Amino acid sequence: MTENRQYDHEYKVQAVKPAKETGQAKAAKELGVPKNTMYGWVRANRLGSLGLGAGSQTPQRP
């Protein structure tokens, strides 16, 4: 059985940035995040429910 991981808001915001630059599937794979999760974050950003702040950190690769 898989474990449900919780991601904080800052992580989501920082993960969307490379997804927009390199593509959602590639960014998800590099960060170890399920593709559907990344697609949801990018969609939420596009709809305005995941505000992109001026965060300074980028998610670290596992």
Side-chain angles (χ1 to χ4, degrees), residues 15 17-29 38-39 42:
K17 291 178 182 181
K20 292 172 118 180
E21 295 170 2
T22 63
Q24 296 175 31
K26 183 176 180 181
K29 184 176 181 179
M38 182 66 73
Y39 292 145
V42 171

Side-chain angles (χ1 to χ4, degrees), residues 34-53:
K35 285 190 290 186
N36 289 340
T37 299
M38 182 66 73
Y39 292 145
W41 295 346
V42 171
R43 183 174 187 272
N45 176 60
R46 189 174 59 244
L47 296 175
S49 61
L50 181 66
L52 288 181

Side-chain angles (χ1 to χ4, degrees), residues 4-24:
N4 287 333
R5 291 184 55 188
Q6 297 286 323
Y7 301 96
D8 65 11
H9 179 75
E10 181 70 15
Y11 187 88
K12 294 174 187 179
V13 167
Q14 295 303 319
V16 168
K17 291 178 182 181
K20 292 172 118 180
E21 295 170 2
T22 63
Q24 296 175 31

